[in-house]
Amino acid sequence: MRTIQLICLVVFLSLLTLVSPADATNDYFLPDDAFFPSKLRLKDLKQQEQEPEPVFNYNYICELAFCGYAGYSQLKLDKQNSELAQNIRKAYSYIRQRQPIRLVPKKVVKNPGTKQGLPNLENFNEINSLSIFFYNADHDWQRWKIAVKYNENWREEMKKFINAGSYCAFVKTPAALNHSQEQGKNVPPLNVQLPEANIKTGKPVDSPLTPKGPLKALILYDDDYEQYYDMRNGKRLLEVTSQGITEYVIHRNRWKKYRLVN
């Protein structure tokens, strides 16, 4: 084991000479992160309709590192968040009325449709899935930056899984990385119960996190996280809570309420 760790450390140090710290990364959700990120796909949402407590997988966006993984890969919406789960499905349908789903076949199939003429989702990949970020219900997202983890303790949390690694950031600019580190102590972390699971070196925990309280979700219209960070005029998102869905748009460097969806 010590030999493997030394090899990982050597590889990690060599990577630092080739890429920025934001590129060589191997983490999923770590305690003290402000949010849990996932992806919305029609196939998954249809399956979750049958689940009393739907499970969302972590949206891992960074290049794979050589030394394994760290963190928690799943979040479960428990019964107290059941209405939130329903509204997430409504929000997905709302966006798809404005941004139609884009599917590409996994392989050539003779009969890709069903009797109703709709695509058989088992044979297709959805290439414009939607990014969703789960926050505490009382998180003041308009005060803070979206898609920034605000975790000043990530090094200590990562060491519980692996010795060498760097932080996977959705916005990788130096300004965003510094902002996350400097302001982390001012942003409450996502309030979740960690699963009872043995942590194995270099392996993520695949048992789901459970919210300790109500959550809210932000669904982005696209994956250009840096433009959301920079407050680019015209960028939109949906705020989804257990009570309803609200659409917001950036106008003159501020978030403006655009409409109530339901």
Side-chain angles (χ1 to χ4, degrees), residues 32 34 136 138-140 143-144 149-153 178-189:
D32 285 346
N136 296 330
D138 60 356
H139 176 72
D140 188 1
R143 179 184 177 189
W144 303 103
K149 294 182 177 180
Y150 292 110
N151 188 343
E152 77 277 18
N153 298 315
N178 290 336
H179 175 72
S180 177
Q181 183 70 24
E182 293 172 358
Q183 296 297 323
K185 62 181 179 298
N186 298 318
V187 180

Side-chain angles (χ1 to χ4, degrees), residues 38-156:
S38 188
K39 277 285 191 176
L40 296 183
R41 299 178 179 87
L42 181 58
K43 175 184 174 181
D44 298 331
L45 290 174
K46 285 186 173 296
Q47 179 180 341
Q48 290 172 354
E49 286 181 346
Q50 313 303 321
E51 300 172 356
E53 296 185 326
V55 173
F56 290 81
N57 293 314
Y58 190 94
N59 178 22
Y60 187 84
I61 63 167
C62 296
E63 296 179 8
L64 295 178
F66 295 100
C67 299
Y69 304 91
Y72 299 83
S73 67
Q74 295 183 336
L75 173 71
K76 176 176 65 178
L77 292 189
D78 53 357
K79 293 182 180 179
Q80 67 178 322
N81 288 288
S82 60
E83 293 183 2
L84 172 63
Q86 294 178 20
N87 285 336
I88 287 172
R89 293 192 287 270
K90 293 178 182 178
Y92 176 89
S93 298
Y94 174 82
I95 292 181
R96 283 293 174 242
Q97 293 172 15
R98 290 147 182 81
Q99 289 182 188
I101 189 172
R102 295 174 59 194
L103 301 173
V104 295
K106 296 180 181 179
K107 58 182 179 179
V108 177
V109 290
K110 293 182 179 180
N111 183 21
T114 66
K115 294 180 179 180
Q116 292 78 26
L118 298 175
N120 181 350
L121 296 176
E122 294 296 331
N123 297 328
F124 288 83
N125 288 320
E126 183 175 342
I127 61 174
N128 63 336
S129 55
L130 304 176
S131 286
I132 181 170
F133 295 86
F134 290 96
Y135 289 90
N136 296 330
D138 60 356
H139 176 72
D140 188 1
W141 61 271
Q142 295 187 53
R143 179 184 177 189
W144 303 103
K145 294 289 188 177
I146 296 169
V148 174
K149 294 182 177 180
Y150 292 110
N151 188 343
E152 77 277 18
N153 298 315
W154 67 267
R155 291 180 179 86
E156 291 73 19

Side-chain angles (χ1 to χ4, degrees), residues 183-215:
Q183 296 297 323
K185 62 181 179 298
N186 298 318
V187 180
L190 188 66
N191 189 17
V192 290
Q193 178 66 48
L194 301 180
E196 295 183 1
N198 294 325
I199 295 178
K200 298 180 180 179
T201 302
K203 300 291 185 181
V205 173
D206 292 328
S207 300
L209 304 158
T210 304
K212 291 183 179 180
L215 301 182

Side-chain angles (χ1 to χ4, degrees), residues 8 11-12 14-16 18-28 58-70 73 158 162 164-169 172 202-204:
C8 285
V11 172
F12 172 69
S14 66
L15 283 172
L16 291 179
L18 299 174
V19 297
S20 69
D23 293 326
T25 172
N26 48 17
D27 60 288
Y28 287 82
Y58 190 94
N59 178 22
Y60 187 84
I61 63 167
C62 296
E63 296 179 8
L64 295 178
F66 295 100
C67 299
Y69 304 91
S73 67
M158 183 175 288
I162 197 168
S166 60
Y167 208 31
C168 178
K172 301 178 176 63
K203 300 291 185 181

